[in-house]
Amino acid sequence: MAANKTQRDDNLLEDIQSRLETLNKSERKVAEAILRDPTAATRYSIAALARAADVSEPTVNRFCRGFSATGFPDFKIRLAQSIATGTPYIGQNIEPDDTVDEFSDKIMLSTIANLEKARQALDPTALALAIDHLIQAKQISFFGMGGSAPVAMDAQHKFFRFNIPVMFYDDVLMQRMVAAGSATGDVIVLISYTGRTLETVDIAKTARASGATVIGITTPDSPLAEVCTVVVGVTAPEDTEVYMPMTSRIIHMTVVDILATGVTLKRGTDFLGHLKKIKESLRPTRIPK
């Protein structure tokens, strides 16, 4: 059943089109208003869509529930997911003659839709286990190559506040040496969208053999996922063969925020004073409003 629901979410526009003839007159007007400009429909309020279709707001709600949505907000998320189809080299559903307003809107909507997909797929058990390992670590190293390197750097910026030695490495030789020199109590977090980079998989194996705990933020069921101690599975529909990953980096950074928040909460209220002191150290660097 879950698989059927996912498939239906991904093909909502096709579903609306295929059921057009079976809808009553009012609901068909809603469907036609959406099909005329699906991207615009994702920006509508329920009142705006009702006006565009010349129907009542309850009719719009009834239409949304007819397509297995809990309400209009849920329907808009699923609609954004449906139009978030990949286009090589540029982004999501972008055409060469798109205006700045059009392609920027498509990228934003695609990112929102893919974040929602990632949210639904996150395993809270894996997140909790990763947080437990991080809070008990003697030292933490974040590894990322290519498009994942900025995420690893961002993770270091988040985690240095926790009074745990933390570093990030984007050089494969340094990653190899750190992995080989790691020991029990060390945690190495490997960030990789594809989870199929040979070097990254080899480094994970080396770190495990050295006794380190290896957390993978990567695609579930990938070669990297198979060799990690804990896998925080992240899905993002991008083709890295044709363009640099965009949405995946945002999703990975969000996962880092989740892990950092989990560590903060585990530290308890006594630790908040330390975080406050770090935050207040920046006060003299800001120009007053």
Side-chain angles (χ1 to χ4, degrees):
M1 183 176 291
N4 290 337
K5 184 181 186 304
T6 300
Q7 183 179 15
R8 194 165 179 180
D9 284 351
D10 291 341
N11 296 288
L12 180 59
L13 285 170
E14 293 179 14
D15 199 7
I16 293 171
Q17 183 68 57
S18 67
R19 291 174 55 187
L20 202 58
E21 299 300 324
T22 67
L23 299 173
N24 65 37
K25 183 178 179 180
S26 295
E27 291 176 354
R28 180 168 179 167
K29 289 166 76 173
V30 177
E32 289 172 342
I34 292 168
L35 293 173
R36 276 196 300 271
D37 193 342
T39 300
T42 62
R43 299 195 298 267
Y44 284 156
S45 65
I46 188 169
L49 180 56
R51 285 194 300 271
D54 193 25
V55 299
S56 66
E57 292 181 26
T59 297
V60 174
N61 260 324
R62 187 168 60 249
F63 173 86
C64 295
R65 289 195 298 270
F67 286 86
S68 302
T70 57
F72 186 60
D74 179 47
F75 180 86
K76 287 203 296 183
I77 289 172
R78 291 180 51 208
L79 182 60
Q81 291 171 347
S82 183
I83 64 177
T85 55
T87 299
Y89 303 105
I90 301 177
Q92 305 294 336
N93 200 34
I94 294 171
E95 304 297 335
D97 58 350
D98 279 349
T99 64
V100 173
D101 178 62
E102 288 170 337
F103 72 70
S104 61
D105 200 48
K106 288 177 180 179
I107 290 171
M108 291 293 288
L109 287 170
S110 171
T111 300
I112 292 167
N114 289 329
L115 275 167
E116 172 61 17
K117 284 185 178 181
R119 182 191 70 80
Q120 293 175 2
L122 276 178
D123 180 359
T125 302
L127 285 169
L129 187 55
I131 290 166
D132 285 342
H133 283 299
L134 289 165
I135 200 168
Q136 297 175 53
K138 291 193 301 185
Q139 64 177 4
I140 303 171
S141 299
F142 290 96
F143 291 178
M145 290 188 284
S148 297
V151 184
M153 179 184 288
D154 179 69
Q156 183 197 30
H157 291 171
K158 297 285 192 329
F159 275 78
F160 88 92
R161 297 168 171 83
F162 299 131
N163 284 340
I164 302 170
V166 59
M167 288 292 294
F168 104 92
Y169 300 93
D170 59 356
D171 178 82
V172 67
L173 298 181
M174 286 298 298
Q175 290 179 8
R176 279 187 170 276
M177 290 187 286
V178 171
S182 61
T184 302
D186 295 338
V187 174
I188 292 177
V189 183
L190 285 160
I191 303 164
S192 171
Y193 166 58
T194 65
R196 307 190 71 83
T197 305
L198 276 171
E199 291 282 7
T200 302
V201 175
D202 287 344
I203 287 164
K205 291 177 180 177
T206 299
R208 289 290 302 276
S210 298
T213 296
V214 177
I215 298 172
I217 301 177
T218 190
T219 302
D221 303 319
S222 63
L224 176 59
E226 292 176 2
V227 298
C228 289
T229 312
V230 181
V231 178
V232 179
V234 174
T235 56
E238 291 174 339
D239 187 352
T240 56
E241 298 297 325
V242 294
Y243 191 67
M244 287 180 63
M246 294 185 296
T247 302
S248 63
R249 286 204 298 272
I250 296 171
I251 296 172
H252 286 163
M253 285 181 174
T254 304
V255 169
V256 168
D257 283 344
I258 292 169
L259 296 175
T261 300
V263 171
T264 301
L265 294 175
K266 283 275 189 178
R267 283 293 177 89
T269 55
D270 292 343
F271 189 65
L272 296 181
H274 171 75
L275 296 178
K276 183 180 179 183
K277 182 171 69 173
I278 293 175
K279 187 72 174 176
E280 289 181 345
S281 72
L282 300 176
R283 195 184 298 271
T285 69
R286 298 200 176 112
I287 299 171
K289 292 183 180 179

